[in-house]
Amino acid sequence: MNQKFPRGKTAIVSAVTFGCGATPGYSNAELAHTASIQALSQLNLKPSDVDGLATVLVDDSLSGLSFAETLGIHPRFISNNRTGGSSFQTHATMAALALDAGLCDVVLIAYGSNQRSFSGKLRTSLRASPWEAPYKPLTPLSSYALAAARHMHQYGTTKAQLGEVAISARKWAQLNPEAFSREPLSMEDYLSARLVADPFGVRDCCLVTDGAAAVVMTRADRAKDLCAKPAYVLAGSEATTHREIANMADLTVTGVAEAAKRAYAQAGLGPKDVDIVELYDAFTINTILFLEDMGFCAKGEGGRFVEGGRIAPGGQLPVNTNGGGLSCVHPGMYGLFTMVEAAQQLMGLAGERQQKKVDVAVAQGNGGELSHEAMLILGSAATV
Amino acid sequence: MTGAVLEKENELKPEKEYLEHLAAGRFMIQRSRSTGEHVFYPRVAAPATGATDLEWIEPSGLGTVYSTTVIRQKPPTPNYNLALVDLKEGPRMMARVVGVAPEEVKIGQQVKARVALPADGSADLPMVVFEPV
């Protein structure tokens, strides 16, 4: 396929989070609006300077229109694409194409959720499946548990290896003042956590928090004037493989395998060039599956790969440097937060957890039940 | 006019018909007359090929556990099994393996389907469950 992705032609110039943790009293939209105003004000921009908008809220299927109305944005380009937690990676990919084509000049991508304060339960607008509902699955958790069980069966992956993922995320969270769960997590704590759906205990599962995020994208020529160190968009790809877990062909191989291949081709880079990796770790098995599918190790080797602190602070490959969905923030959809963390690392704004050499960062999104996978590769000025 | 009406009546209503079969105690899946491919869950056309010549057939009921988990409940509510079963005919489905402790269900285990109908007044839905062969 002849790909014409506009590599390095657009960039993220502002990337913020707001209200991560427990921030009662806000609506979903208000959290996202606040993050948006903060992201714009860093650039001395107002909502009226924005002419491209991408957002998705869980309680408003026309959230793009509502969002534009409330903030006083008059978009020439709008995306309300909804693929679950990975929606925002698709928004950024479409924004890159739209900006490069001159359909718009300044794109705002935003999300917010009061998931935790609202009820502590998952808010959902999903159809009840006649093929699954009678079995009372704990969707989506049990779908990921089935993937983990299959990976363990097929490759000998162990519970302790899943634990390495949770513990590494927690160690990163301890370097991030914004992270929700920062208390120490030992392997003993992990292994003795209450079981939810075998092999998962509560420490295999992401947090349920409030939180919002926003990023601003422009074309590269303008990016330099707005931001000292823009995060250039080198690649944006996706793959949809199924909706419900029973229809995933191989529970040990995700759409990331396909999406990563395309993203690397767009960027002209490979896994050895990647400095930091921000993955959608809704569950511990995700990190293992996605590291394999992105080519950081062979299929089936992910469990062994994460052992010995390899993905923890000080390890050879920094993964989920904000603490991830497991220990930092997970307000229903997490994909925008991987983009914010990757961009902040490239901008040198990541505080105590800032990595020294960051030229290439991956920000991945996952939607549904390993159903939709999307991947951005962001780069420093040196990569363009 | 009459022809058009008749044709419409003959159209497959996959979800409705499947659930009617199930409520009557029958587990039915679809098969394409032209390609022989089996389809589950039921739909108006076979995936990818788009073949619309789907007919209902009764599968062998034999399957293999592809993956399995135990949904843990707060005692005294009993834990229950959730599994993915590969039918001998090809399709994979979400299922529950019963007749054995939920944690005893193993990947690769051979199982056989039966329809479990809810007791009168129960809020449960009819479902296909599997038992070890």
Side-chain angles (χ1 to χ4, degrees):
Chain A
M1 200 181 300
N2 179 19
Q3 290 205 29
K4 291 181 180 167
F5 188 83
R7 181 193 191 281
K9 298 289 179 59
T10 67
I12 294 173
V13 289
S14 179
V16 306
T17 58
F18 170 73
C20 293
T23 41
Y26 290 92
S27 71
N28 291 328
E30 286 166 349
L31 287 166
H33 296 154
T34 308
S36 300
I37 295 296
Q38 289 185 1
L40 290 168
S41 65
Q42 284 190 359
L43 307 168
N44 292 316
L45 295 177
K46 304 183 296 295
S48 58
D49 297 315
V50 174
D51 62 356
L53 176 64
T55 187
V56 58
L57 295 175
V58 75
D59 59 347
D60 179 2
S61 62
L62 294 182
S63 50
L65 309 185
S66 314
F67 206 95
E69 177 188 274
T70 307
L71 285 192
I73 296 169
H74 189 64
R76 293 194 283 155
F77 162 81
I78 194 162
S79 173
N80 216 165
N81 194 36
R82 202 176 267 270
T83 58
S86 51
S87 301
F88 313 95
Q89 274 74 11
T90 75
H91 294 161
T93 299
M94 285 185 274
L97 301 179
L99 286 164
D100 184 56
L103 299 183
C104 56
D105 297 322
V106 177
V107 178
L108 170 66
I109 307 175
Y111 174 72
S113 169
N114 58 13
Q115 179 92 69
R116 183 177 191 86
S117 298
F118 180 72
S119 68
K121 299 261 184 210
L122 273 183
R123 301 188 68 174
T124 183
S125 53
L126 303 177
R127 167 184 126 109
S129 163
W131 329 118
E132 296 196 345
Y135 304 106
K136 299 180 182 164
L138 287 181
T139 313
L141 188 157
S142 51
S143 299
Y144 291 84
L146 288 164
R150 184 72 201 182
H151 200 277
M152 292 167 96
H153 169 80
Q154 220 164 303
Y155 296 112
T157 306
T158 65
K159 175 86 176 168
Q161 289 168 343
L162 296 176
E164 293 270 357
V165 172
I167 291 164
S168 299
R170 181 60 57 86
K171 286 181 178 164
W172 283 112
Q174 289 175 323
L175 302 178
N176 180 3
E178 197 177 66
F180 188 70
S181 292
R182 305 187 67 202
E183 65 280 6
L185 178 69
S186 68
M187 184 58 84
E188 217 174 0
D189 297 335
Y190 168 81
L191 291 171
S192 61
R194 178 173 61 84
L195 279 172
V196 187
D198 303 21
F200 287 166
V202 289
R203 296 288 164 252
D204 291 284
C205 307
C206 65
L207 304 166
V208 177
T209 66
D210 300 331
V215 308
V216 179
M217 284 176 64
T218 66
R219 274 184 296 281
D221 51 353
R222 188 161 180 209
K224 279 175 279 187
D225 302 329
L226 288 168
C227 174
K229 295 175 80 179
Y232 293 92
V233 180
L234 305 180
S237 67
E238 62 181 299
T240 303
T241 49
H242 60 280
R243 166 66 189 89
E244 293 176 351
I245 198 66
N247 304 301
M248 182 171 179
D250 179 344
L251 264 64
T252 68
V253 181
T254 74
V256 167
E258 202 185 304
K261 215 175 194 181
R262 288 198 276 271
Y264 291 139
Q266 290 167 351
L269 298 168
K272 65 178 187 326
D273 303 306
V274 176
D275 298 309
I276 57 163
V277 190
E278 308 299 341
L279 303 176
Y280 199 111
D281 60 339
F283 300 95
T284 48
I285 191 64
N286 294 31
T287 301
I288 288 172
L289 288 170
F290 300 152
L291 286 171
E292 291 173 354
D293 290 338
M294 286 182 188
F296 291 104
C297 60
K299 180 50 64 185
E301 290 295 319
R304 283 172 285 278
F305 184 82
V306 301
E307 284 181 332
R310 189 194 298 258
I311 64 170
Q316 295 97 312
L317 184 67
V319 174
N320 296 354
T321 50
N322 59 347
L326 290 170
S327 280
C328 178
V329 60
H330 200 295
M333 299 189 206
Y334 176 69
L336 192 52
F337 295 85
T338 69
M339 289 162 56
V340 168
E341 178 64 14
Q344 288 189 353
Q345 287 280 352
L346 281 159
M347 292 171 181
L349 302 175
E352 204 189 330
R353 65 188 189 282
Q354 177 67 45
Q355 296 299 293
K356 283 198 188 74
K357 180 202 169 281
V358 185
D359 284 311
V360 178
V362 163
Q364 179 253 348
N366 162 80
E369 303 161 16
L370 299 167
S371 318
H372 178 268
E373 303 296 350
M375 177 165 155
L376 299 178
I377 301 178
L378 305 176
S380 70
T383 65
V384 180
Chain B
M1 191 66 191
T2 312
V5 170
L6 272 179
E7 197 174 272
K8 217 165 186 180
E9 282 172 351
N10 284 338
E11 278 173 15
L12 199 59
K13 313 252 183 346
E15 183 173 329
K16 179 173 175 286
E17 290 173 19
Y18 172 77
L19 293 175
E20 285 169 359
H21 279 303
L22 197 62
R26 290 187 298 272
F27 172 37
M28 302 291 275
I29 68 172
Q30 294 172 302
R31 181 176 60 195
S32 163
R33 290 187 185 91
S34 56
T35 70
E37 181 198 3
H38 291 89
V39 175
F40 187 87
Y41 51 90
R43 50 198 100 182
V44 299
T49 65
T52 54
D53 57 350
L54 298 174
E55 60 182 347
W56 291 109
I57 64 121
E58 196 173 354
S60 66
L62 297 174
T64 307
V65 176
Y66 176 74
S67 193
T68 179
T69 183
V70 181
I71 309 288
R72 301 279 170 172
Q73 302 286 287
K74 278 193 188 129
T77 310
N79 298 333
Y80 58 89
N81 174 263
L82 183 76
L84 298 176
V85 171
D86 288 336
L87 299 177
K88 194 182 167 198
E89 287 77 9
R92 179 177 301 158
M93 64 184 290
M94 183 167 280
R96 182 172 303 161
V97 180
V98 299
V100 56
E103 55 274 15
E104 293 305 314
V105 180
K106 300 292 177 222
I107 292 175
Q109 192 169 9
Q110 302 301 301
V111 289
K112 189 165 189 340
R114 70 172 168 84
V115 175
L117 295 175
D120 283 346
S122 160
D124 289 346
L125 299 165
M127 63 176 165
V128 179
V129 296
F130 288 81
E131 288 173 334
V133 175

